Amino acid sequence: MVKEFGDKFNFIFIYTREAHPGEKIPHLASFEQKLEHAKLMTEKYINRTMLVDSLNGDIHHAYGRLPNMTYIVNRYGNVIYKSDWTDPSTIKMVLDHYLDEREMLANKIRATPYYVEWQPMRKNDSEEFMTILLRDAGPKAIKDFIESQKHYQGPVQSNSNIGKATAKKLEKWLEKQDY
Amino acid sequence: MSSYNYDTFPLDFDMQAFIDFPNIANAGTKAPDGKVCNLLTNKWEQLSTYWKEKTTIIEFGSVT
């Protein structure tokens, strides 16, 4: 997406905190360590401008402190999109729409803002996520996550047994892993 | 260690953050501004520097 839209938009990544600390990637105890983790991300995953939040997450708090959020902010400093999960296909849709809006305005077509709410669904592959987490963070991260799932009530749109069912499935998966 | 940078993934992973999210930095409102450290230059800069230049996609995350 950066290749397709990089000349029209700034793409930045803000490193926040470790959501699932483990043996290999522990929790953050200093800002120097935070810089090291962010550096690791640029080496392994992120090809955008990497910005690092303060150790206590001042910017992260201001935007809602969820682990994988995305916001889009226009040149006037107004939020035009926010999502509690980063989904490339949705972001592309929004950027395409934004460029259409710019074209309308450039052509002196009258445009007016409107409000929309939407609750799409995304693929949630727990085993794929666990595989990456086991490799990158270590078994502690996975065991902590499974334990927390047992207490998870789920978002408002889901049923309240979703956490326990997920935890059971993940425990079976972990038993089969060689680590 | 602060509770923000927890060592163990919390049993009740910050559900309040999910509850609060629909009411924080909403579309049509001013985006929160503040200082962040640019990893490449190791200098602190205003987040707004980016959106003043171009409309900006801001992704949040971590290694794990």
Side-chain angles (χ1 to χ4, degrees):
Chain A
M1 206 177 313
V2 175
K3 278 184 187 169
E4 183 177 353
F5 292 105
D7 60 329
K8 299 179 180 75
F9 301 97
N10 279 326
F11 287 81
I12 61 176
F13 189 99
I14 299 182
Y15 177 81
T16 56
R17 65 176 168 191
E18 290 310 326
H20 303 285
E23 294 88 340
K24 298 176 194 170
I25 306 285
H27 72 278
L28 297 171
S30 70
F31 189 70
E32 289 69 30
Q33 183 195 358
K34 193 162 187 169
L35 291 174
E36 285 301 315
H37 285 209
K39 191 177 171 194
L40 183 66
M41 284 208 80
T42 58
E43 289 167 358
K44 291 182 81 170
Y45 308 108
I46 302 296
N47 64 346
R48 282 154 276 163
T49 300
M50 174 65 80
L51 304 173
V52 183
D53 197 3
S54 65
L55 182 59
N56 290 321
D58 293 317
I59 291 290
H60 193 205
H61 279 282
Y63 280 83
R65 74 181 186 278
L66 295 182
N68 298 102
M69 308 177 290
T70 289
Y71 280 77
I72 301 177
V73 180
N74 71 13
R75 292 186 64 188
Y76 303 103
N78 294 322
V79 174
I80 59 169
Y81 169 86
K82 64 182 270 194
S83 172
D84 68 5
W85 191 260
T86 296
D87 177 64
S89 66
T90 315
I91 295 167
K92 183 178 185 316
M93 184 183 75
V94 174
L95 297 184
D96 282 334
H97 195 280
Y98 182 85
L99 293 175
D100 288 346
E101 294 167 18
R102 296 300 99 188
E103 197 174 327
M104 268 197 293
L105 295 172
N107 291 327
K108 312 249 185 255
I109 295 170
R110 185 168 177 267
T112 189
Y114 65 96
Y115 178 83
V116 60
E117 287 194 18
W118 183 39
Q119 188 168 66
M121 298 184 84
R122 64 180 173 86
K123 180 185 172 191
N124 186 348
D125 189 333
S126 301
E127 291 180 8
E128 183 184 9
F129 171 64
M130 291 288 119
T131 302
I132 294 168
L133 195 59
L134 182 61
R135 183 195 66 201
D136 289 355
K140 174 187 173 296
I142 291 187
K143 288 173 184 171
D144 285 350
F145 182 71
I146 290 174
E147 199 56 38
S148 76
Q149 285 294 295
K150 293 175 184 171
H151 298 261
Y152 180 55
Q153 295 293 309
V156 288
Q157 71 273 29
S158 67
N159 74 66
S160 60
N161 289 321
I162 191 170
K164 283 179 184 166
T166 304
K168 203 168 181 180
K169 184 181 164 195
L170 294 177
E171 278 174 336
K172 283 185 180 172
W173 176 86
L174 189 58
E175 282 170 12
K176 294 178 192 166
Q177 305 308 306
D178 181 23
Y179 62 90
Chain B
M1 181 189 65
S2 69
S3 60
Y4 175 70
N5 293 304
Y6 50 78
D7 171 51
T8 299
F9 190 67
L11 292 180
D12 57 346
F13 180 63
D14 211 357
M15 281 309 292
Q16 194 60 43
F18 286 92
I19 293 165
D20 292 343
F21 187 71
N23 300 312
I24 288 179
N26 287 339
T29 67
K30 290 291 174 195
D33 197 7
K35 293 205 168 187
V36 281
C37 182
N38 186 318
L39 185 68
L40 195 63
T41 63
N42 209 24
K43 288 183 178 164
W44 289 84
E45 50 192 35
Q46 286 296 130
L47 195 50
S48 55
T49 308
Y50 290 89
W51 64 63
K52 281 176 182 171
E53 183 191 43
K54 291 177 188 173
T55 291
T56 298
I57 295 85
I58 308 172
E59 183 182 353
F60 293 81
S62 60
V63 184
T64 61

